[in-house]
Amino acid sequence: MNYWLIKSEASCYSIDDLKRDKKTAWSGIRNYQARNFMRDDMRLGDQVLFYHSNGTPEIPSGIYGIAKVVSKPHRDETQFDTKDEHFDPKASETNPIWACVDVGFVRKFKQPIPLTELKRDSKLKGLAVLERGSRLSVTPVSEEHFLRIVTELIQ
DNA sequence: GCCAACGTTGGC
DNA sequence: GCCAACGTTGGC
């Protein structure tokens, strides 16, 4: 079992959207490191922290709930879709570039854990999303950090 | 809206 | 292969 954190801007795709959809293809990721994590390291059943970035006073940046990996890695179909904002002209059916997994809704926290609180927690030292300048939208999370968050920090 | 940090692109 | 320029991310 591996653990992950995925980021999304709430205005783009929120945890409530995932709750409504039950599951969704985590497509549109256009960063090689993030792609490699999904393509090479994600396994069915892996647990995923759902993080909202680019926060506002109403929806502060932080962890809002849990998702899980519900598919094997597969081609990201949006790379072929000329009408999609994530269309990649360098990708082709014979030479796909981008991959993703499907993530399923598990639960939404009653209270999100805001970034400010994550930063205060000395036991979360090393969590990627707390690193200065961290921009990766898919990052691995250690079991210790995951358990700390889901068993001790949430209400 | 600002701006630092980062990844990617492309000229050489 | 270097590196400046550029676009994007994301906290504040």
Side-chain angles (χ1 to χ4, degrees):
Chain A
M1 166 83 71
N2 291 320
Y3 303 92
W4 306 93
L5 181 146
I6 58 175
K7 291 184 195 173
S8 176
E9 296 188 29
S11 59
C12 180
Y13 191 85
S14 72
I15 186 133
D16 291 323
D17 293 330
L18 183 61
K19 186 176 183 180
R20 179 198 63 215
D21 297 342
K22 308 279 197 299
K23 69 170 190 172
T24 193
W26 206 247
S27 58
I29 304 298
R30 296 294 178 265
N31 171 284
Y32 290 107
Q33 251 186 296
R35 178 205 65 181
N36 292 348
F37 282 136
M38 290 196 288
R39 188 190 62 186
D40 305 334
D41 300 323
M42 278 194 174
R43 297 289 179 270
L44 268 173
D46 281 357
Q47 304 241 67
V48 181
L49 299 168
F50 197 102
Y51 180 91
H52 278 156
S53 58
N54 249 319
T56 62
E58 296 75 32
I59 308 175
S61 296
I63 299 172
Y64 280 71
I66 310 280
K68 66 179 175 183
V69 176
V70 295
S71 81
K72 292 183 175 177
H74 56 78
R75 300 192 318 182
D76 178 343
E77 297 298 333
T78 64
Q79 67 192 303
F80 309 118
D81 182 354
T82 53
K83 291 186 291 294
D84 193 280
E85 64 173 318
H86 299 292
F87 171 68
D88 186 342
K90 294 194 293 297
S92 67
E93 295 279 345
T94 47
N95 265 318
I97 298 173
W98 304 107
C100 63
V101 297
D102 296 347
V103 297
F105 178 79
V106 175
R107 70 189 185 104
K108 179 184 177 181
F109 299 155
K110 287 197 182 73
Q111 298 288 339
I113 308 170
L115 181 60
T116 49
E117 189 178 336
L118 296 171
K119 280 181 174 169
R120 272 203 306 271
D121 192 313
S122 60
K123 292 187 179 171
L124 293 182
K125 202 165 167 19
L127 186 68
V129 79
L130 302 180
E131 298 289 303
R132 171 182 161 84
S134 165
R135 288 173 51 178
L136 252 191
S137 63
V138 176
T139 51
V141 173
S142 72
E143 183 169 41
E144 292 73 22
H145 287 161
F146 185 86
L147 293 178
R148 171 71 177 161
I149 288 163
V150 302
T151 66
E152 298 180 70
L153 292 190
I154 61 170
Q155 299 179 340

